Amino acid sequence: MSRPLEELVEGDRVRVQGGKNFEKFHGGMEGTILHNSPESRNLTVQFDDTGTSGPDPITVAYRHLEFAPDKGGYRAGAAASKPQAEAAAKGPLLEEHGCWKTRQLVQLHGLQGAAELNGRCGRLRKYDPNSERWEVDVRQSGIKRLKEDNLEPPSAPAVPSGLGVAEYKELGNEAFKKAELETAVACYSAALELLESDQMPPPEAADLAYVSVLYGNRAQCHINLCREVHGEDKAISKEARGYAMRANMDASKAIELDPTNGKAYYRRGCAVLGMAPSASRAKEAIYCLEVALSGRASGGKDGIVLPNAMRNEVSGLLDYAKRRFDDCTEAAVPDVEECRENCRQQ
């Protein structure tokens, strides 16, 4: 029985989806959840195969995992029992076909056997010309292989008018939980427009911490969109950079409004790392993440507030930012022999 990853709790089991191969985990590996972070769409997992993952838990993005109530189901041949439409693709895969291309956002419709997916959005990955199907990374449902007849451009977010700030915020939170990121952004934006209105601003406008949370929530939506677009690509696309820049602006505003907002520092670190790699950006991310980690649930020495449940996640990202800084710094150091050769040639 499938369950949304957002609903899983400590002790539940998950499995790495087939075809996902990284240094410390790969398709089929199973583990136990130690912490679920729906806000950033990550799970901290203690994998059974410590020979591959190492002894420490690993934080893994939702898009790489699936619920695994039956231990060993992957190895027992669950993948082989899927219908032909779900079989692994054979032959070369395409990044563009007809009016569709890789990383494009689509909405699902007209599905008969999986009607519960109709209306869901996802990102196109690769097109298999043999089966005439796209691999679609469907939000909260993983990879599905679908015909182009079941794909359409996503509809514009529907945001009701005439609501108050708190109501728009609640709608945004509900949309975020369902991974309806565009709707969540639209709802948070509607709330912020009311707060920044010159004509009779609502009472919430006087609470800077409240406004900071709204900017932070919208920043998290942009971060998730950036990660979704970027996927496992090595190069950061223009669209992904755009989302990272928006997240950076929102997170910076959240910090300006409430300098004790630890989540905002974390989100700014995420946003900066979502841009094109450079030593200066990596250094900025390190600073933001270290400030976030200085916080405590009840407030750190500088008043920074960070939920205890986020500490492992922030620590993991900080380690990544330091590795990126080292990589960027090493890349910027000229090769001595190459410089000497250039001098001889002049």
Side-chain angles (χ1 to χ4, degrees):
M1 180 181 66
S2 177
R3 283 174 58 191
L5 297 183
E6 289 83 350
E7 297 179 1
L8 302 185
V9 298
E10 181 180 348
D12 282 338
R13 302 276 299 176
V14 289
R15 178 187 304 117
V16 180
Q17 295 179 13
K20 306 284 187 176
N21 296 300
F22 299 91
E23 181 182 354
K24 292 192 173 183
F25 61 91
H26 56 73
M29 282 180 60
E30 298 179 359
T32 303
I33 296 173
L34 299 185
H35 175 67
N36 189 349
S37 180
E39 186 174 68
S40 55
R41 300 184 61 74
N42 290 322
L43 287 170
T44 301
V45 182
Q46 179 67 66
F47 285 106
D48 300 337
D49 182 5
T50 55
T52 300
S53 67
D56 298 324
I58 299 177
T59 300
V60 184
Y62 278 5
R63 64 179 179 273
H64 301 315
L65 300 168
E66 61 188 7
F67 179 46
D70 301 318
K71 189 173 182 179
Y74 180 91
R75 300 176 184 80
S81 66
K82 292 183 178 180
Q84 185 64 30
E86 295 289 332
K90 297 180 180 179
L93 302 178
L94 307 178
E95 293 190 351
E96 190 169 348
H97 184 263
C99 62
W100 309 105
K101 61 182 179 180
T102 297
R103 296 299 172 198
Q104 186 173 349
L105 182 67
V106 296
Q107 191 167 10
L108 279 51
H109 74 105
L111 294 171
Q112 302 296 324
E116 71 279 2
L117 297 180
N118 288 326
R120 293 265 189 98
C121 288
R123 296 275 174 180
L124 299 180
R125 296 187 60 182
K126 301 284 186 178
Y127 179 76
D128 181 5
N130 294 315
S131 64
E132 298 184 341
R133 292 173 182 268
W134 276 95
E135 291 180 351
V136 185
D137 194 350
V138 183
R139 291 172 179 171
Q140 298 186 326
S141 299
I143 303 300
K144 305 295 179 183
R145 291 167 53 79
L146 304 171
K147 295 181 178 179
E148 291 183 339
D149 290 342
N150 298 119
L151 309 176
E152 63 182 2
S155 55
V159 180
S161 59
L163 301 182
V165 172
E167 292 170 308
Y168 281 126
K169 180 176 181 288
E170 183 60 28
L171 286 178
N173 292 346
E174 290 301 318
F176 182 86
K177 291 176 184 176
K178 294 185 287 186
E180 296 172 357
L181 300 175
E182 293 77 15
T183 299
V185 168
C187 290
Y188 293 138
S189 297
L192 288 168
E193 286 177 10
L194 288 177
L195 290 169
E196 295 167 356
S197 173
D198 293 331
Q199 300 178 351
M200 294 185 63
E204 293 94 340
D207 187 348
L208 298 185
Y210 185 91
V211 184
S212 174
V213 168
L214 276 169
Y215 273 105
N217 288 357
R218 192 170 68 176
Q220 186 64 57
C221 292
H222 291 314
I223 290 167
N224 287 7
L225 286 165
C226 174
R227 290 170 173 169
E228 181 181 274
V229 173
H230 181 54
E232 298 162 29
D233 297 339
K234 292 184 179 180
I236 300 176
S237 68
K238 181 179 180 180
E239 184 181 3
R241 290 198 304 271
Y243 285 127
M245 292 173 67
R246 294 187 196 109
N248 186 38
M249 289 188 291
D250 279 348
S252 298
K253 185 66 175 179
I255 293 170
E256 177 187 334
L257 291 166
D258 181 9
T260 68
N261 187 342
K263 286 185 178 181
Y265 287 100
Y266 160 72
R267 286 161 178 161
R268 182 146 193 260
C270 291
V272 173
L273 291 173
M275 301 179 193
S278 72
S280 61
R281 289 193 177 115
K283 190 174 181 180
E284 181 66 25
I286 291 170
Y287 166 76
C288 291
L289 295 168
E290 286 180 341
V291 171
L293 273 179
S294 72
R296 295 290 186 271
S298 57
K301 62 178 182 179
D302 295 323
I304 305 295
V305 178
L306 182 77
N308 291 330
M310 291 185 64
R311 299 192 65 80
N312 286 339
E313 186 177 339
V314 179
S315 296
L317 192 64
L318 176 60
D319 290 341
Y320 172 77
K322 290 178 178 178
R323 291 196 301 272
R324 176 175 285 190
F325 178 78
D326 291 340
D327 291 342
C328 291
T329 304
E330 290 172 5
V333 176
D335 182 85
V336 176
E337 292 302 322
E338 184 178 344
C339 290
R340 288 174 179 168
E341 182 62 28
N342 290 338
C343 290
R344 294 191 192 102
Q345 294 173 353
Q346 290 176 356

